[in-house]
Amino acid sequence: MQSDARTPFVENEGSHPWRRMVSLGDSFTEGIGDPEPDSPGGHRGWADRVADVLASQADDFAYANLAVRGKLIRQISDDQIDAALALKPDLVTLCAGGNDVIRPGTDPDAIGEIFRDAVARLSSSGAAVVVFTGFDVGWNPVFRSFRGKVAIYNENMRAIAEQHDAIVADLWALKEIQDARFWADDRLHLNPLGHHEVARMVLRTLNVPNDLQHLEPGPLPPRTWRAARRDDLVWARTHLVPWVLRRLRHQSSGDGLTAKRPDFG
């Protein structure tokens, strides 16, 4: 019995059915926070990790990653979907909207409508489409105020996935990474441990057997209240202020950058 490319692989039915994977999105999918000098673009990330596992189980597997850091959902829809469809993938991952949701004044329903169009276009190609819920940011004091918007966005995304038979990879439920030890120093991107856990979750969602094991981070070093506040100030000066200034200037960290894997390789 052969698995349908639109549905998660069922273990013990043979090799997984996918041979051409394309990943779309922003810094999360590009792999920012997971530096790897030998990887294209200097970053690895969860998508590369998933592709490595899938490639190990199929000699003719091919993978492209069109994600570019800082991109909003409209930019992802306009710039990446046609390029992805031209590659004729049978497996597409789409994580988009996070940069929109954390911008003050944005409407998660309006973001959802753009997402709806993107999923419809990808799904109409016949490829299996994997979409992602947003992170549960309730544990994070910097982004906690956006938790309600993320929850609304997630409900819209789940309804769209149901409508178009997409597969949902649930970041909201991934409790393992609701811990500062899985995040990079900028507190916005996952570190290598975080990307590893997301890769494990995506493979579980696809029901693809693999040897990836949970990696337990070491304990956080003890800090005094004064030291913690000093670290917060350093973080704000190094990461938060530049991020705010880019928003005010209508700039993006991805301006002028291109995809790290624009074609199958």
Side-chain angles (χ1 to χ4, degrees):
M1 178 179 178
Q2 184 175 4
S3 298
D4 189 310
R6 281 182 173 273
T7 58
F9 168 64
V10 178
E11 191 172 354
N12 298 324
E13 288 195 352
S15 175
H16 66 76
W18 303 294
R19 295 298 180 269
R20 299 167 69 89
M21 170 181 167
V22 178
S23 293
L24 314 181
D26 51 31
S27 58
F28 169 69
T29 301
E30 185 183 350
I32 302 303
D34 187 10
E36 175 51 69
D38 294 334
S39 292
H43 300 275
R44 193 180 181 197
W46 66 266
D48 287 17
R49 293 165 185 267
V50 168
D52 287 345
V53 171
L54 297 180
S56 72
Q57 301 177 14
D59 293 338
D60 54 347
F61 185 81
Y63 163 60
N65 188 319
L66 308 183
V68 176
R69 70 197 73 173
K71 295 303 181 181
L72 301 172
I73 192 168
R74 174 63 72 185
Q75 295 171 311
I76 293 168
S77 178
D78 290 346
D79 299 340
Q80 297 180 23
I81 291 182
D82 286 344
L85 293 175
L87 295 172
K88 301 187 183 305
D90 55 14
L91 176 63
V92 177
T93 70
L94 172 66
C95 187
N99 288 324
D100 301 79
V101 170
I102 63 174
R103 289 194 173 201
T106 53
D107 179 0
D109 293 328
I111 297 168
E113 286 306 308
I114 303 172
F115 189 87
R116 183 187 306 277
D117 176 72
V119 173
R121 290 165 63 194
L122 292 169
S123 181
S124 67
S125 72
V129 180
V130 180
V131 298
F132 292 74
T133 62
F135 295 104
D136 184 350
V137 294
W139 68 275
N140 188 319
V142 177
F143 296 104
R144 186 177 297 144
S145 62
F146 296 104
R147 192 173 191 239
K149 283 178 66 176
V150 176
I152 294 170
Y153 167 80
N154 285 352
E155 288 305 301
N156 287 334
M157 185 278 298
R158 289 181 186 281
I160 294 164
E162 178 71 20
Q163 179 182 359
H164 293 286
D165 198 24
I167 301 164
V168 177
D170 197 353
L171 291 172
W172 182 277
L174 191 60
K175 303 301 183 184
E176 292 91 334
I177 61 173
Q178 294 174 19
D179 181 324
R181 295 174 297 173
F182 290 88
W183 293 79
D185 290 342
D186 64 7
R187 306 184 187 180
L188 182 63
H189 298 103
L190 295 168
N191 63 19
L193 283 176
H195 279 282
H196 176 85
E197 287 303 317
V198 171
R200 294 180 67 237
M201 180 272 287
V202 172
L203 291 165
R204 288 197 303 271
T205 300
L206 294 174
N207 286 330
V208 173
N210 63 89
D211 296 327
L212 300 186
Q213 301 295 317
H214 173 67
L215 301 178
E216 189 67 33
L220 288 171
R223 290 188 303 169
T224 65
W225 181 90
R226 187 181 299 276
R229 299 295 75 74
R230 184 172 60 247
D231 289 347
D232 289 342
L233 290 173
V234 171
W235 168 79
R237 183 172 62 250
T238 306
H239 301 289
L240 180 61
V241 171
W243 183 85
V244 172
L245 289 176
R246 286 196 300 271
R247 302 290 81 74
L248 293 174
R249 295 166 180 166
H250 302 287
Q251 296 173 335
S252 167
S253 57
D255 288 347
L257 298 181
T258 57
K260 67 176 185 177
R261 294 177 180 268
D263 205 341
F264 289 131

